[in-house]
Amino acid sequence: MSKVITPINYKSLLDLRQTELGIKLIKEFFQQNLSTELRLRRVTAPLFVLKGLGINDDLNGVERPVSFPIKDLGDARAEVVHSLAKWKRLTLAEYKIERGYGVYTDMNAIRADEELDNLHSLYVDQWDWEAVIAREDRTLAFLRNVVERIYAAIRRTEYLTCETYPQLQAFLPEKIHFIHAEELLRMYPNKTPKEREDAICEAYGAVFIIGIGGVLSNGEKHDGRAPDYDDWSSVAENGQKGLNGDILIWYPVLGRSIELSSMGIRVDKESLLRQLKLEGQESRQELYFHQQLLQDRLPLSIGGGIGQSRLCMVLLHKAHIGEIQASIWPDDMRQECRRLGMPLI
């Protein structure tokens, strides 16, 4: 059976009706706050894209996209998106979005290779967002400011949720702590990346880990990141590499850290070529998306994804993401979760 994290003395504080109303409340309120904070326009996004254009997100490079042939296109294959990391940048160019403004959308994906547990499902739903920036905005200070504004929107949503359902108690700290993955490695040299995340999140409550995707001093990556959207190799003003990262929180219900968002300043031409070379993927330069970037047809941007079901899960104090969204789960997992008081939708 896929691993189930067993919470201690877990009991849902909301019934099914309250849960569904809470999901609606959170999704409507948070996306409006995100849009206002970052000046984002809502756009409609695809569920699938054509294979071979370099538009789909490769995630860690090993996950297989769900694909199917299209009869009216001579059986050309389409792929269900893993995320919209690169599609959004094409959209910024198509809509001629100005600096300081951007887009957001509902991203729905199927990740067939996901290992199913309390936090991971075959079905992924995110708010994907992307905003146009200038060359001088490609700094760690700019990235930190955007992270703080997103975190402020999360905390406002937590406040509203707890006001609506007084049985829920707010737990997110006022401030989010910033740390580079290399510094985190020096603090906890004998721990795995996941153990380091747990330790730092338990200490600070909410953390943004900078520099996800690049090789650290121990010869390993903190976590994988595709080479053609986030810039994880440029040297920031503090001398460390990376203009991207993850927002994580300490989640007391499960006694562990949880990632809520992956985001970052996107690659420019120089960092794209450098990262493709580092990953041995120079051949991707010939794909449609990469050619658009290399020929200066795409704006500089910052963007990311924020998990919808995952945010609802933590703000409604649920122990399993299957209490928030309808998906497919192994029968033995359903039985075990029901026994533990967390019935899956």
Side-chain angles (χ1 to χ4, degrees):
M1 183 181 75
S2 299
K3 185 177 180 182
V4 174
I5 303 168
T6 304
I8 299 174
N9 299 323
Y10 174 72
K11 178 176 173 52
S12 178
L13 299 177
L14 304 177
D15 61 27
L16 289 176
R17 176 180 173 276
Q18 292 172 319
T19 298
E20 292 291 358
L21 290 173
I23 292 169
K24 181 175 183 291
L25 174 76
I26 291 168
K27 288 189 175 184
E28 291 179 348
F29 184 80
F30 177 78
Q31 69 179 346
Q32 188 61 52
N33 270 260
L34 181 70
S35 172
T36 302
E37 276 286 354
L38 303 184
R39 295 190 288 187
L40 306 174
R41 174 199 307 174
R42 191 191 184 284
V43 296
T44 300
L47 176 60
F48 39 80
V49 294
L50 282 174
K51 182 179 180 180
L53 298 180
I55 298 176
N56 204 358
D57 180 1
D58 291 327
L59 300 177
N60 293 311
V62 297
E63 295 88 349
R64 300 169 299 170
V66 175
S67 65
F68 57 92
I70 305 171
K71 180 180 178 181
D72 275 3
L73 292 182
D75 280 349
R77 297 197 72 83
E79 294 179 342
V80 175
V81 296
H82 275 148
S83 86
L84 298 169
K86 290 176 280 188
W87 177 88
K88 292 175 297 183
R89 199 164 175 183
L90 293 167
T91 300
L92 291 179
E94 181 180 355
Y95 281 48
K96 298 181 173 59
I97 302 294
E98 299 176 356
R99 175 192 175 183
Y101 294 86
V103 299
Y104 80 95
T105 191
D106 292 301
M107 190 285 296
N108 297 289
I110 302 171
R111 296 182 182 172
D113 288 339
E114 201 72 79
E115 294 184 9
L116 307 180
D117 58 24
N118 299 59
L119 302 177
H120 298 92
S121 169
L122 299 175
Y123 170 62
V124 179
D125 54 345
Q126 294 181 169
W127 290 286
D128 256 324
W129 65 274
E130 198 85 10
V132 177
I133 62 174
R135 174 65 59 179
E136 57 266 31
D137 296 326
R138 302 187 81 255
T139 66
L140 196 55
F142 184 87
L143 174 65
R144 288 175 60 124
N145 178 262
V146 174
V147 171
E148 288 171 343
R149 289 155 67 188
I150 292 173
Y151 184 67
I154 292 173
R155 288 194 69 240
R156 282 195 295 272
T157 308
E158 181 190 42
Y159 174 79
L160 175 65
T161 306
C162 292
E163 282 290 289
T164 305
Y165 301 104
Q167 61 269 49
L168 303 177
Q169 298 297 311
F171 63 90
L172 294 176
E174 181 180 354
K175 302 292 185 182
I176 186 168
H177 179 72
F178 291 84
I179 189 168
H180 194 279
E182 182 63 43
E183 184 182 353
L184 190 60
L185 172 62
R186 290 198 296 268
M187 289 178 64
Y188 306 107
N190 298 319
K191 294 182 181 292
T192 66
K194 182 65 187 69
E195 290 170 343
R196 296 197 289 270
E197 290 177 357
D198 285 345
I200 196 69
C201 286
E202 187 172 16
Y204 288 96
V207 179
F208 185 77
I209 301 177
I210 305 164
I212 306 292
V215 175
L216 304 177
S217 59
N218 63 351
E220 301 174 355
K221 299 178 180 181
H222 181 83
D223 198 2
R225 208 56 110 240
D228 45 15
Y229 56 97
D230 279 357
D231 186 341
W232 41 258
S233 65
S234 289
V235 178
E237 56 265 34
N238 61 356
Q240 294 174 318
K241 291 182 179 180
L243 291 170
N244 74 330
D246 292 342
I247 296 176
L248 299 102
I249 63 162
W250 178 255
Y251 189 42
V253 173
L254 295 180
R256 56 160 290 169
S257 61
I258 291 183
E259 177 192 323
L260 295 182
S261 175
S262 171
M263 59 173 289
I265 291 172
R266 307 309 199 185
V267 290
D268 57 9
K269 288 195 296 186
E270 293 75 21
S271 54
L272 172 66
L273 293 173
R274 178 170 60 250
Q275 291 179 183
L276 289 176
K277 184 175 181 180
L278 285 170
E279 297 297 301
Q281 296 187 25
E282 293 97 328
S283 61
R284 297 186 68 82
Q285 296 175 35
E286 305 305 317
L287 298 175
Y288 172 76
F289 170 83
H290 304 72
Q291 280 295 304
Q292 293 293 104
L293 178 55
L294 293 172
Q295 293 173 20
D296 293 316
R297 295 175 180 170
L298 301 180
L300 297 174
S301 68
I302 183 173
I306 303 163
Q308 294 187 13
S309 290
R310 197 170 284 190
L311 182 63
C312 292
M313 173 185 167
V314 300
L315 295 187
L316 296 177
H317 298 200
K318 299 292 186 177
H320 198 292
I321 200 165
E323 296 179 86
I324 298 295
Q325 57 160 249
S327 186
I328 296 174
W329 307 99
D331 287 340
D332 50 0
M333 179 182 286
R334 283 190 176 276
Q335 294 170 10
E336 178 71 2
C337 287
R338 188 179 297 112
R339 186 184 66 81
L340 294 171
M342 43 187 185
L344 307 184
I345 296 174

